[in-house]
């Protein structure tokens, strides 16, 4: 597999598999893996406690600072918390990276969000809240994605393979586009001009 990119960032809704796929992807690419939620928890304590103590607004500011630092690295795969893309500065920064949107649905994530109760935004009515946040944020994920990968019904190794293939296609499309002097739009089948 050709070397696809120096900075690959995984975005998508809560429990879409960003951390597990990010770790596997980094291994396959020989890159370092950083999970922004984990960095936040290591520095500031659990995300639930942070939300309870400081509120969502403060969490978003901390998160944006952590993401900025992680994106200063090269040869890195970064998985972001589901709401990190709400920050305009983060979205701007992501324009300099290859962004992978891991898409999913409530049926796929349901067992995970019920099992892992550490997500403050899903503390009450988890399924309904997940769906509301997904509906709100999906256009944002799609608009910043270099590639979109459907994770429904796929295992972590299968999603990782699909991401690597989509990144390689994206790379080829961009190369051909530059050669032909044209640009491409993201049709969600795998490619867009977002990556460099
Ligand atoms: C959040 C997603 C979480 C975590 C926090 C807020 C969100 O990360 O950052 O609970 O707003 O979507 P995951 O997407 O890894 O669950």
């Amino acid at each position: 597999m050709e070397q696809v990119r120096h900075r690959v960032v995984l975005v998508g809704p809560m429990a879409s598999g960003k951390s597990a796929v990010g770790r596997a992807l980094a291994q396959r690419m020989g890159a370092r893996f950083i999970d922004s939620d984990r960095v936040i928890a290591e520095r500031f304590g659990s995300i639930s406690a942070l939300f309870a103590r400081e509120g969502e607004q403060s969490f978003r500011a901390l998160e944006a600072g952590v993401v900025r630092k992680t994106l200063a690295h090269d040869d890195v795969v970064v998985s972001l918390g589901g709401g990190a893309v709400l920050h305009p500065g983060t979205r701007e920064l992501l324009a300099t990276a290859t962004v992978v949107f891991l898409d999913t649905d409530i049926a796929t994530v349901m067992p995970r969000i019920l099992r892992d109760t550490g997500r403050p935004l899903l503390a009450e009515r988890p399924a309904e809240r997940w769906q509301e946040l997904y509906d709100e944020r999906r256009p944002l994920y799609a608009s910043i994605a270099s590639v979109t990968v459907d994770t429904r019904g796929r295992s972590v190794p299968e999603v990782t393979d699909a991401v690597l293939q989509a990144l390689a296609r994206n790379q080829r499309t961009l190369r051909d586009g530059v050669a032909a002097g044209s640009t491409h739009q993201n049709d969600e089948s795998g490619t867009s001009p977002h990556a460099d």
Side-chain angles (χ1 to χ4, degrees):
M1 178 69 61
E2 65 192 290
Q3 179 65 35
V4 279
R5 185 59 192 122
H6 301 298
R7 254 172 307 140
V8 174
V9 182
L10 303 188
V11 302
M14 285 182 262
S16 55
K18 300 178 296 283
S19 301
V21 172
R23 191 171 298 110
L25 194 60
Q27 215 163 34
R28 295 273 298 272
M29 293 174 66
R32 177 176 168 198
F33 173 62
I34 303 176
D35 180 333
S36 69
D37 277 345
R38 182 176 283 255
V39 174
I40 293 168
E42 280 167 6
R43 280 198 204 148
F44 305 103
S46 84
I47 289 178
S48 296
L50 254 181
F51 262 71
R53 203 172 59 231
E54 319 235 3
E56 182 172 352
Q57 289 279 75
S58 302
F59 171 78
R60 296 291 170 216
L62 285 178
E63 181 178 48
V66 166
V67 171
R68 177 173 292 278
K69 283 193 183 129
T70 65
L71 292 179
H73 297 283
D74 258 344
D75 289 324
V76 75
V77 174
V78 180
S79 69
L80 298 187
V85 299
L86 298 174
H87 196 278
T90 296
R91 292 204 298 278
E92 237 171 77
L93 273 181
L94 291 179
T96 66
T98 299
V99 179
V100 179
F101 168 25
L102 294 187
D103 203 2
T104 188
D105 64 7
I106 184 64
T108 306
V109 302
M110 196 63 184
R112 302 177 198 154
I113 63 179
L114 293 181
R115 195 170 53 233
D116 179 355
T117 53
R119 295 185 173 96
L121 294 178
L122 303 182
E124 283 163 30
R125 301 184 303 118
E128 290 88 339
R129 282 301 289 142
W130 186 92
Q131 190 64 54
E132 283 163 12
L133 291 168
Y134 175 83
D135 292 343
E136 265 171 46
R137 295 168 177 179
R138 191 184 189 288
L140 266 187
Y141 298 135
S143 73
I144 59 169
S146 313
V147 302
T148 298
V149 171
D150 185 352
T151 68
R152 289 173 299 175
R154 286 167 154 173
S155 66
V156 169
E158 286 168 347
V159 174
T160 307
D161 281 343
V163 170
L164 284 165
Q165 283 163 20
L167 291 175
R169 267 200 311 274
N170 186 52
Q171 190 86 340
R172 278 198 297 277
T173 307
L174 290 168
R175 230 180 9 235
D176 295 350
V178 168
S182 68
T183 56
H184 299 261
Q185 292 302 310
N186 185 1
D187 61 6
E188 296 200 11
S189 62
T191 63
S192 89
H194 187 71
D196 52 3

